[in-house]
Amino acid sequence: MRLRALLDTDALGLRLLGGGDELDRTVRGVMTTDLRDPSRYLSGGELVLTGLAWRRDAADSEPFVRILAQAGVAALAAGEAELGDVPEDLAVACARHRLPLFAVHESVAFATITEHVVRQVSGERAGDLAAVVDRHRRMMTSGPAGGGPDVVLDLLGSDLDLRAWVLSPTGRLVAGPKAAGPGLPPDACARLAAEHLAAVRTGRRGPHRVLLGQTTYSLFPIRSGARLPQVPRTPQAAQAPRDVRESVLSDWLLAVEADAGDWADERLDLLQGVTQLIAVERDRRDAARTVRRRLAQEVLELVQTGAAPAEIAARLRVAAPVLLPGLGAAPHWQVIVARVEWDEGGPEAGPVAQSLLEEILVDPLATGPEPSDRIAVAHTGDEAIALVPLPAVTSEHDGSETGVLADALLAAVRDPLSSGLDGDGRLTLGVSAAVHSAEGLRGALEEARHARRVAAARPGRVCAAGHQELASHVLLLPFVPDDVRKAFTARLLDPLRDYDRRHRAELIPTLEAFLDCDGSWTRCASRLHLHVNTLRYRVGRIEQLTSRDLSRLEDKLDFFLALRMS
């Protein structure tokens, strides 16, 4: 029940002293106390009743109210039977902590308020389920799209007083309640997605509960019916359990701001029904992707079979209006290749990589279920291949946007996906340069595949590499065997590290700065805020310890590579 409803009940004898803008808070219980610190008995959402016996002087009000606010109580109601009017210092403390404050008339017993609140809260919990289920069923048949996930989330807020959000496995906010109130920050979305993926992957039974700060969230998987296994062809296939890795990296999840650990079975069943309704929307979105997937598959087959550029160009002209509606001129294109590799066995990787790449390519700041209309992803074997149209591409040298960049691609999704793949597999991606014609697509595809192999040679569960790295020493370093890498870097850098450790001489930072400044004594000394003679002394010590000469190009190159490989 809401605080506002308490004021509307004359028999309770409540008078509002402060916090009128917080009357939409929900009361989930009631507690009577005169303890100076009742925190151990509070779980949040209570209406706290007190006779003020804990208050000896004005200084006691601030710590008492602070404890209540930190515990997340809904409001404080102070009785007037003992002290008469509620002290002003208590009202000031409540205002400071934005805690609604009521005065209880001396003629009203706390037991009367307690009985009323318990009766109302219990009655609402018992009576709201059937009504909500009925409304959801009617909504489900109201249109082909079911009203979208936003409608379902608004119903959860209005009927069950539950704030909830739909998140992608990468932590992108797909849908949230439209009602006023703070949203879910991007870092919280990423953390919840990571916790959900880790829990599902390890087989923990849901709903999964996660504590972020002082708030508990319950996470429910939204399993799409479109990706449910087909009717098995053999009895043996029917008995085989479905591998959770088929969908864990692509299914949405429902994050509810509540602790579902003590919910009744009826409410848990209701939330499972809500996830099924949202899954209908997810299936509709996946059906809309079918055309884009087919276009990507057709272009890919033409490129890989060596079709004539004119035939590929004709197919691109068909694809462009679908992927970029209203675009007049033919766009540039980029190719992105993704691969999921399981540590042991695992389901078919191509479809998993396809669904995952479609989600990764969505702008992480975009909300709603349909921000991916410009993405066409096909899969062949264990690879997923995306055809990304770009409205315009300009020279890299003028600082303008040059399309999808490998590092930026994974910045927002690396942590959630690393949790989802930890101990099970890896995701590697390669990004090509932009091309402006059909003739360049085959080269772009090979470039993206080569970049993905560079990413695969790096450590980590989620890695990407871009076309910029294919014309650099960076291309070669990942393929150096680990034992060779360690021996090479140890021979050159260990003497300097040991010297730095014993003398705090900072030879390694000096070497890095010297090479970054292309061997310029004055620029390096200025960067390090050293006198040139001090710099010359340090460089001389480096040469003495390693038997190298930093005036020679070969030795500079060796040091440069050793630092990059270390």
Side-chain angles (χ1 to χ4, degrees):
M1 65 179 300
R2 307 279 183 175
L3 288 175
R4 194 180 304 279
L6 296 175
L7 282 178
D8 295 338
T9 306
D10 295 336
L12 299 183
L14 294 176
R15 180 164 49 91
L16 182 64
L17 300 181
D21 56 344
E22 302 285 343
L23 291 181
D24 285 328
R25 289 188 180 187
T26 301
V27 179
R28 296 184 172 87
V30 62
M31 175 188 176
T32 300
T33 185
D34 276 314
L35 295 173
R36 295 168 66 86
D37 181 2
S39 57
R40 68 174 70 98
Y41 304 111
L42 297 170
S43 58
E46 297 92 348
L47 170 66
V48 175
L49 306 175
T50 181
L52 301 177
W54 50 268
R55 182 184 178 278
R56 298 191 182 99
D57 55 45
D60 292 334
S61 293
E62 166 64 25
F64 180 78
V65 172
R66 183 173 63 251
I67 289 170
L68 299 187
Q70 289 174 347
V73 304
L76 173 65
E80 297 178 324
E82 293 294 330
L83 301 180
D85 292 340
V86 175
E88 178 65 22
D89 50 86
L90 183 60
V92 170
C94 287
R96 183 180 298 116
H97 292 280
R98 300 183 63 83
L99 183 67
L101 176 63
F102 298 96
V104 182
H105 194 271
E106 61 181 3
S107 64
V108 178
F110 284 174
T112 301
I113 300 174
T114 300
E115 181 182 354
H116 177 83
V117 172
V118 171
R119 185 171 60 250
Q120 291 296 318
V121 171
S122 299
E124 289 179 3
R125 287 176 177 170
D128 59 3
L129 296 176
V132 175
V133 170
D134 181 65
R135 288 183 66 182
H136 288 173
R137 286 173 177 167
R138 285 185 280 121
M139 181 193 69
M140 191 169 159
T141 59
S142 64
D150 294 303
V151 177
V152 181
L153 300 182
D154 287 340
L155 281 172
L156 281 178
S158 61
D159 287 17
L160 288 182
D161 196 35
L162 292 175
R163 294 209 312 155
W165 298 265
V166 177
L167 306 178
S168 77
T170 62
R172 183 176 63 87
L173 181 64
V174 176
K178 296 179 180 178
L184 204 57
D187 57 341
C189 292
R191 171 77 183 280
L192 291 175
E195 294 284 349
H196 174 75
L197 287 174
V200 173
R201 179 183 53 79
T202 54
R204 280 162 36 203
R205 186 176 180 181
H208 314 296
R209 289 173 289 164
V210 178
L211 181 64
L212 296 186
Q214 301 296 320
T215 305
T216 299
Y217 297 88
S218 297
L219 309 179
F220 297 81
I222 299 173
R223 294 190 171 92
S224 173
R227 288 185 302 283
L228 292 177
Q230 302 299 317
V231 177
R233 297 181 180 179
T234 66
Q236 291 78 12
Q239 296 172 3
R242 183 179 179 226
D243 194 323
V244 70
R245 291 174 291 183
E246 290 181 26
S247 60
V248 66
L249 295 174
S250 55
D251 281 341
W252 290 348
L253 66 133
L254 178 68
V256 182
E257 190 181 86
D259 187 344
D262 57 354
W263 281 5
D265 291 341
E266 293 84 359
R267 179 164 291 211
L268 288 172
D269 289 343
L270 172 63
L271 265 294
Q272 296 295 346
V274 169
T275 64
Q276 292 173 11
L277 288 174
I278 298 174
V280 172
E281 176 65 24
R282 174 65 190 268
D283 291 342
R284 184 188 70 83
R285 198 287 305 268
D286 281 350
R289 281 182 170 174
T290 302
V291 173
R292 299 192 294 276
R293 287 177 171 179
R294 185 181 300 119
L295 284 172
Q297 197 73 43
E298 291 174 354
V299 173
L300 175 62
E301 289 176 359
L302 290 174
V303 170
Q304 292 194 127
T305 56
E311 186 177 359
I312 299 175
R315 182 54 56 187
L316 290 178
R317 285 194 295 271
V318 173
V322 176
L323 302 177
L324 285 177
L327 190 66
H332 292 74
W333 302 87
Q334 269 183 291
V335 176
I336 301 176
V337 173
R339 186 168 185 152
V340 172
E341 297 173 289
W342 307 116
D343 290 354
E344 295 182 8
E348 185 182 354
V352 176
Q354 181 183 40
S355 296
L356 193 52
L357 185 54
E358 286 172 335
E359 183 58 47
I360 290 174
L361 288 173
V362 178
D363 182 350
L365 299 180
T367 59
E370 293 290 351
S372 54
D373 288 338
R374 299 181 179 184
I375 299 165
V377 184
H379 77 82
T380 174
D382 290 338
E383 280 185 339
I385 301 172
L387 190 65
V388 181
L390 304 172
V393 175
T394 52
S395 171
E396 297 181 15
H397 302 293
D398 65 5
S400 301
E401 178 60 42
T402 58
V404 179
L405 301 177
D407 290 339
L409 194 61
L410 293 182
V413 303
R414 190 184 304 274
D415 289 345
L417 293 182
S418 294
S419 294
L421 288 163
D422 187 26
D424 276 341
R426 299 187 70 214
L427 169 69
T428 52
L429 296 95
V431 182
S432 79
V435 296
H436 65 277
S437 66
E439 289 88 341
L441 275 183
R442 184 173 181 82
L445 175 59
E446 292 305 316
E447 187 176 57
R449 282 174 168 162
H450 201 119
R452 192 208 62 78
R453 288 193 289 272
V454 171
R458 296 173 176 169
R461 291 287 172 181
V462 180
C463 298
H467 62 92
Q468 303 93 335
E469 301 175 53
L470 302 187
S472 165
H473 66 278
V474 177
L475 170 64
L476 303 177
L477 296 185
F479 299 98
V480 177
D482 285 343
D483 53 347
V484 176
R485 180 196 305 260
K486 290 177 182 177
F488 181 74
T489 57
R491 187 165 58 251
L492 280 177
L493 302 183
D494 279 1
L496 306 183
R497 293 193 182 106
D498 292 341
Y499 191 88
D500 282 348
R501 189 162 46 249
R502 294 197 309 270
H503 301 283
R504 299 182 180 179
E506 298 188 351
L507 295 185
I508 292 287
T510 300
L511 176 61
E512 291 177 329
F514 186 72
L515 295 175
D516 285 344
C517 293
D518 298 324
S520 169
W521 296 99
T522 54
R523 280 196 291 131
C524 183
S526 176
R527 175 184 293 189
L528 296 176
H529 306 289
L530 298 175
H531 192 278
V532 172
N533 288 340
T534 303
L535 175 61
R536 290 184 183 277
Y537 172 80
R538 288 188 182 181
V539 170
R541 178 64 65 182
I542 292 170
E543 293 175 333
Q544 180 184 14
L545 291 170
T546 60
S547 300
R548 297 296 183 110
D549 183 356
L550 278 169
S551 65
R552 297 178 68 247
L553 176 61
E554 293 89 345
D555 287 341
K556 286 181 183 177
L557 179 59
D558 284 348
F559 277 122
F560 176 80
L561 293 174
L563 289 169
R564 290 297 182 272
M565 287 192 291
S566 63

